Structure formats: C-alpha cells, structure tokens
Amino acid sequence: MTKTPTPTIVVAGAGLTGLSAAISAREAGARVVLLEKGSREDVGGNAAFSGGLFLFCYDGPDDLTSITQDFEPGMKAARIEAPPYTRRAYAAELSAMSGGRAEPHLIDALAERSLDTVRWLAAKGVRFTFNRTLGAEIRGGVLHIPPGQVLTCVGEGMSRGFEVIRPLLAHAERIGVEIRWFTPLAEVLHSDGRVTGVTVGDGGQTVPADAVVVATGGFQANRELRREHLGPEWETVRLRGTRLATGDGIQAALRAGADKAGTWSSCHSAAVDPAMPSPGSSAASPPFPLHGFWLGVLVNRDGERFVDEGPGPWVKNYSKMGKAIMPQPGCEAFEIFDQRTAARVADEFAGAAVPVVADTVPELAERIGVPADRLAHTLQTFNNACPPGDGISEDRGTAGITPPKSRWAAPLDRPPYVAYHAVAGLTFTFGGIRIDPDGRALGADGAPVPGLYAAGEAIGGLFYGDYPGGAALMRAAVFGRAAGHTAAAEAESAPHPA
C-alpha cells in the first residue's frame, strides 16, 4: 500500500492569524512552515499591539466562567448577571456598523465559531480576564455585565495583546511548527491551475507547498498604498501597529488569481498621543489610544467641536476617531475634560499621555494653542446644550447643537480643566483578499483558487466604515484557524509538489 505523503502547508505571517492557522493545520496532521518577515522580536503582528479584547457570543455567565475565573481588581462578586450575547445580536451589530455592506456569510461564520474559538485559544494557554473598562459594574454584590464585550487577555493596561501571542508561539513550537524568521513572502507559485509553493526574500528561494495561507496583515505600513487608497493626507500618518504590514501578501495573492474584497479606502484609526513613538518590537507598547473622548469633548485647533463624542460605548466607536481627526486643521485635536471625569480618564484611558492642566478656559486655550474666544464660546455652547442635573450617564444627550453629543453629556464647568493632544494613529486597513467562510481565497468568478487561503487583516469583506471592538482579534483567530484546517484537509487529496 502506498502511503500518502504528509502535505506541506506554508503560512505567511506570524501574527495571531498566522499562528492560529499554523497550529490548526498542524493539528490536522500537516507539516507546517510558518514564514515571518521580521525577527522573533516582531512576532505577533498587529495583535501584539492590541488591547487583547475578543468579541464572542455566549449564552450567559456559565459560558464566561468556563473560559476564565480571573477578575481584575474590584470585579469579583458572589454572582454574575450576564444576559446572552447571541449570534443574531453579533451579526446585527457588525452589519449595522458596516452600513449593511459586510458579507453575511462571513458575519455568520464569525459569530457561529466565536465562542468555540475563544475556548480553543484558552486551551492553548491564552489567559482571559473580566475587564473593568468594558462596562461591567458591581451593584448590590452582583457583577452586572452588559451584552457584548466582556473578556480581554490578562496583562497591564489596554495594550496587552502580546499576552495572546506569547502562549500561541510557545504552543506552535511545541507541536512542531517550523518557523522561519526574516523570511518575507515574495510570490505565490502555481502550476496547472494550482498553488505549488512560494518564493521568499528577493525571490531567489523557493519553498514548495501543497497549500499557502496568506496571513500577512493589511497595507497600513505602505506609504504608497496608503496614499493611493486612503488619500494623500494619510501618507505620513502615525502607525499604531506593526511596521511590517506593507501589503506584500495581499499583492502576491492578487497576482496568483485572488480577487479583491471590502473597502480599500477605510481603516481602523484611533486617536493617540502624538508624543508616543510607534512601536519597535512586538513586546513594546504602541501609541496608547486616547479612549476617554466620550467623557469630554473633542475640539480642533480652531477651538471648535467637530464630532459626536458619545454615539455609543467607546469600545464601539474609538476606532473611527482618528478618521474624524484627519480632516481637521493640522490633522490634530484636543480632548478636554473637567474634574467630573479627569481622574477616570487618567486612570483608565490615557496611558502614559501627559495632559495639559489649567484653572481657567482662557489659560487652557493659551497652553494648547487655540483661540481663547472660540474655545470659550464652544464650551459655553456645549454646556448650555447639556441636560439639567449634575450627573453624567449614558442616557444624557445634548439638545440644539451641531454636532450633538448623543450620550454622556455633562457640562464642563468644574476646573481645573484637563486637555490631551490627539492625532490619528493608523492600526490596520479594511480592504484585502476575497475569501469564503472556510478561508479559501476566491477568484473574480467566485470560485476558489486551488491551494490558496487567506485570513485576518489580509482579507476584505467584513469591516467597512467601522466595527465593534474585539471583532478584529476574533476575526483573526476564527478565520486563521479555519484557513489552516481547510488547507490541511484539502491538501491531503491534492497532487503534491515535487
């Protein structure tokens, strides 16, 4: 009896997507070669610079406590109330935030597989915890959790994603995934209508393969592609994520017959502190997102508001605040707070950013370099539009001003005033390769490109104008895992390269 040779799967990119694909393919019995453009210090891609938040479906507290028993300080309670976050709710939220453009079959697969994938990650050593910044609170000895974002991985602050990568890398090495550092994907090779391997580096070296999974991220680190697809003002934008995601894998897949999908003119872009440098190694912190905007107001250098700071929970809106800042004069803004919220912002949402503090509005205007009369008028107009009462809550919106502040509206009238300088920080782009729910790369005719798979930020079709926080890491793990398994399963019955 002739023994079927073990298929070889090449996975390009050692981020969360690539590690999930490599582990999944290896678990399915394939030999796996994982290519990473950078060094071991660059492992993790954009996930290493994330907040480690995963958005997944669950039926109630038992699903959550089956994943983790870890609680951040002040979160432990005798009982948990957690209304279900259903597949229908997940799909509706993602569809609504994409303006109805996200592909339904990808949304359904993401929602359907999300809980099982989080459990799969936990089984590989990723540790999760109940996070205090996501809306949960203790009342009457009960931890009340609103449906949706619940768990992050353990770690310090909000840039804790490297704690997702660390155990996955160790697990991949332990089960025999072959990792090649400093080995960028150059071309996807094909013969007789099927992928046969890749060339790497300058194209002089070939790695034969029965299937290739592209997990190289988006094109956010490529100045020319940013200019072409996002616009000229994005050419010099500050990067929040990996400097290695230059679109090479996407371009190689397109040349191999894959089709484009999604919006190439949009991206994840948060407000960040311009004094913070872009990250070097994957263990370094990225420019910290200034998430506190929803507790105050955003003004431009003319001292004027320009965006609704509170259309919903920050975790569902922070990724578009950078895009709101980019059209403003100088592509910059200032987040302003008073003593109602300044301490909370500093504690939970500002990281190492150093604020400007002033006892009066004219003094604040002088220190941040905006016209004092305009800033005073803006803040007075905003204060007058806030509802009566002294509290700040989700159901309090402004009346009679444009733009409105839909929620969390409270007057700024308790000095000292606090301001944070903010610019756009580009995390990842939304356009990429067209895939089906199992990670197969699809051609322009909608048929799979034999032997070619893709996942994570290298794909398009799920995110458009915005997306709910935690869905990006979930997408990486769900479709990376699916692409690796599908590649290994289908490669077993395919002709093997010489």
Side-chain angles (χ1 to χ4, degrees):
M1 179 181 295
T2 303
K3 183 179 179 181
T4 303
T6 300
T8 296
I9 310 299
V10 164
V11 179
L16 173 58
T17 305
L19 286 166
S20 297
I23 292 169
S24 181
R26 184 68 179 145
E27 289 178 338
R31 171 181 175 249
V32 180
V33 180
L34 179 58
L35 310 178
E36 169 51 44
K37 184 177 187 178
S39 70
R40 190 183 183 90
E41 285 67 40
D42 296 307
V43 68
N46 266 354
F49 306 117
S50 73
L53 173 63
F54 287 80
L55 181 63
F56 58 94
C57 300
Y58 52 88
D59 291 331
D62 289 347
D63 280 341
L64 302 175
T65 54
S66 72
I67 296 167
T68 183
Q69 297 287 329
D70 287 341
F71 296 81
E72 291 195 334
M75 295 283 289
K76 186 78 171 178
R79 188 162 61 89
I80 298 174
E81 287 287 343
Y85 184 60
T86 66
R87 297 165 189 165
R88 183 187 295 267
Y90 199 134
E93 187 167 34
L94 189 50
S95 179
M97 294 186 75
S98 73
R101 291 179 289 173
E103 296 180 20
H105 60 294
L106 296 182
I107 293 178
D108 291 344
L110 180 62
E112 170 78 23
R113 302 168 188 169
S114 60
L115 176 59
D116 182 65
T117 300
V118 171
R119 288 174 169 156
W120 181 80
L121 291 169
K124 305 295 179 283
V126 178
R127 291 180 55 211
F128 294 93
T129 185
F130 289 86
N131 188 293
R132 68 190 178 102
T133 66
L134 300 176
E137 60 180 351
I138 293 180
R139 300 193 304 272
V142 177
L143 177 60
H144 293 269
I145 297 174
Q149 290 86 353
V150 181
L151 305 180
T152 67
C153 63
V154 299
E156 296 297 324
M158 299 178 73
S159 300
R160 55 180 74 190
F162 190 60
E163 297 308 320
V164 176
I165 300 303
R166 194 193 308 271
L168 292 182
L169 176 61
H171 184 78
E173 293 178 322
R174 189 162 53 246
I175 64 175
V177 172
E178 178 187 340
I179 304 176
R180 302 186 185 180
W181 308 105
F182 298 111
T183 309
L185 172 67
E187 292 290 345
V188 175
L189 303 175
H190 46 92
S191 177
D192 297 327
R194 180 173 183 84
V195 166
T196 58
V198 298
T199 60
V200 298
D202 59 5
Q205 181 184 356
T206 298
V207 182
D210 300 286
V212 173
V213 180
V214 176
T216 51
F219 59 84
Q220 66 272 8
N222 186 312
R223 290 172 63 112
E224 291 74 21
L225 291 179
R226 288 202 307 267
R227 181 178 182 86
E228 177 183 351
H229 295 290
L230 300 179
E233 68 273 20
W234 292 87
E235 189 173 357
T236 57
V237 71
R238 179 177 296 272
L239 287 181
R240 281 201 65 246
T242 175
R243 70 193 187 285
L244 301 177
T246 54
D248 301 345
I250 296 175
Q251 299 293 336
L254 299 182
R255 290 191 294 268
D259 191 21
K260 288 183 177 181
T263 174
W264 286 57
S265 59
S266 191
C267 60
H268 174 305
S269 180
V272 301
D273 177 4
M276 302 298 287
S278 293
S281 69
S282 56
S285 295
F288 199 91
L290 296 171
H291 288 157
F293 58 86
W294 58 283
L295 292 170
V297 298
L298 266 169
V299 302
N300 59 24
R301 65 161 55 161
D302 294 330
E304 297 176 344
R305 291 179 61 247
F306 55 89
V307 69
D308 182 352
E309 301 92 347
W314 69 263
V315 76
K316 298 178 182 178
N317 294 285
Y318 79 98
S319 61
K320 64 183 180 185
M321 283 300 153
K323 288 177 282 188
I325 291 172
M326 284 299 285
Q328 301 308 308
C331 302
E332 63 180 340
F334 299 90
E335 297 184 7
I336 299 179
F337 311 92
D338 70 355
Q339 292 307 300
R340 276 188 177 86
T341 58
R344 182 179 179 188
V345 170
D347 180 43
E348 298 182 22
F349 300 111
V354 178
V356 174
V357 182
D359 290 326
T360 67
V361 171
E363 182 184 356
L364 182 70
E366 180 181 2
R367 291 188 178 182
I368 64 177
V370 304
D373 57 341
R374 291 303 306 157
L375 182 61
H377 176 76
T378 294
L379 295 185
Q380 188 61 54
T381 301
F382 173 79
N383 290 350
N384 293 340
C386 290
D390 200 41
I392 176 169
S393 64
E394 185 176 6
D395 59 353
R396 293 168 59 87
T398 57
I401 59 171
T402 301
K405 185 174 184 183
S406 301
R407 304 182 187 186
W408 309 102
L412 298 171
D413 57 5
R414 293 185 182 177
Y417 301 98
V418 172
Y420 291 91
H421 193 191
V423 297
L426 176 56
T427 309
F428 64 86
T429 46
F430 287 170
I433 302 161
R434 187 177 303 282
I435 65 164
D436 71 6
D438 294 316
R440 300 178 186 90
L442 305 178
D445 60 357
V449 178
L452 185 60
Y453 306 82
E457 292 172 11
I459 70 167
L462 262 177
F463 302 159
Y464 284 79
D466 201 8
Y467 71 95
L473 293 188
M474 201 72 258
R475 174 185 65 170
V478 163
F479 291 109
R481 183 186 179 195
H485 183 272
T486 307
E490 294 183 344
E492 278 200 279
S493 59
H496 292 266

